[in-house]
Amino acid sequence: MWRRWGSSLVLGSCMALGAVAASHAQTVELAGIKYETTEQVAGQKLQLNGAGIRYKAIFKVYAAALYLPTKMGTPEAVYGATGSPRRIHITMLRDIDGNELGKLFTQGMEKNSPRDVFAKSINGTIKMADLFSKRKKLATGESFSVDWIPGTGTVISVNGKPELEPIKEPEFYTALMSIWLGPSPADTQLKDALLGKARAARGGDS
């Protein structure tokens, strides 16, 4: 079924939790997945900027949450915050083929990144694609996070465990984030959700 979705997985619709309305709550719940409203990354407290559910047709694919040091409403602000930790956390809501996921992420990065940025991210992109390929699949309930840590680089963790040596090039993190925040994002509603902009829920593609 995953291959039948093809490259359109990185496109589609999502249910958005924009500005995280329950700002005083300790957690925010999406499709049974609870996200803390704050996270600690590299000793710094980050706040939930926005979260949403990624759909393909009527199927829930994954829930995603973006954590930043302060509220940010534009991709440029997120990309430019290299002096502070950042995190995107994704939890699978259905089984996904790891090799296909790696390919789709690579395609999304190339599509959304300036040529010079993507060129500098190729080393990290190959490592990431190889990581997902070796895992064969990500099962429902499994999760992965991508952290930017100043002075260290990008740390990719699967189910809470770091899986690669840090990828030092900042261009890699920017290119990876462009999958969701770039000019041709995975989904415009999910982009708005992660940037804290509320959008109406949509159950399928138009």
Side-chain angles (χ1 to χ4, degrees), residues 7 9-12 54 62 75-76 79 103-119 121 125 171-188 190-191:
S7 60
L9 174 67
V10 189
L11 304 169
R54 182 66 179 75
Y62 57 73
E76 293 73 22
Y79 298 155
K103 289 179 180 179
L104 292 173
F105 279 2
T106 300
Q107 292 169 6
M109 292 167 70
E110 185 172 13
K111 181 179 182 180
N112 283 281
S113 302
R115 183 173 299 178
D116 61 327
V117 171
F118 184 71
S121 72
T125 302
E171 292 85 1
F172 171 76
Y173 190 90
T174 297
L176 185 60
M177 291 303 299
S178 74
I179 295 172
W180 300 282
L181 303 181
S184 298
D187 180 84
T188 54
L190 181 55
K191 175 180 177 177

Side-chain angles (χ1 to χ4, degrees), residues 53-154:
I53 296 175
R54 182 66 179 75
Y55 276 87
K56 174 57 186 174
I58 63 173
F59 302 107
K60 296 175 182 177
V61 182
Y62 57 73
L66 179 62
Y67 291 89
L68 302 172
T70 60
K71 289 290 185 179
M72 298 179 188
T74 67
E76 293 73 22
V78 177
Y79 298 155
T82 56
S84 301
R86 291 166 285 170
R87 166 175 288 174
I88 187 165
H89 186 83
I90 291 177
T91 303
M92 298 298 122
L93 299 177
R94 62 187 300 108
D95 294 354
I96 295 179
D97 179 271
N99 187 54
E100 192 72 12
L101 183 64
K103 289 179 180 179
L104 292 173
F105 279 2
T106 300
Q107 292 169 6
M109 292 167 70
E110 185 172 13
K111 181 179 182 180
N112 283 281
S113 302
R115 183 173 299 178
D116 61 327
V117 171
F118 184 71
K120 293 178 181 178
S121 72
I122 287 177
N123 179 56
T125 302
I126 292 172
K127 291 179 180 179
M128 177 192 68
D130 186 56
L131 164 64
F132 286 123
S133 177
K134 288 180 177 178
R135 291 194 65 86
K136 303 301 182 182
K137 75 173 182 178
L138 288 174
T140 303
E142 291 194 296
S143 65
F144 70 91
S145 61
V146 182
D147 296 344
W148 169 257
I149 301 175
T152 299
T154 300

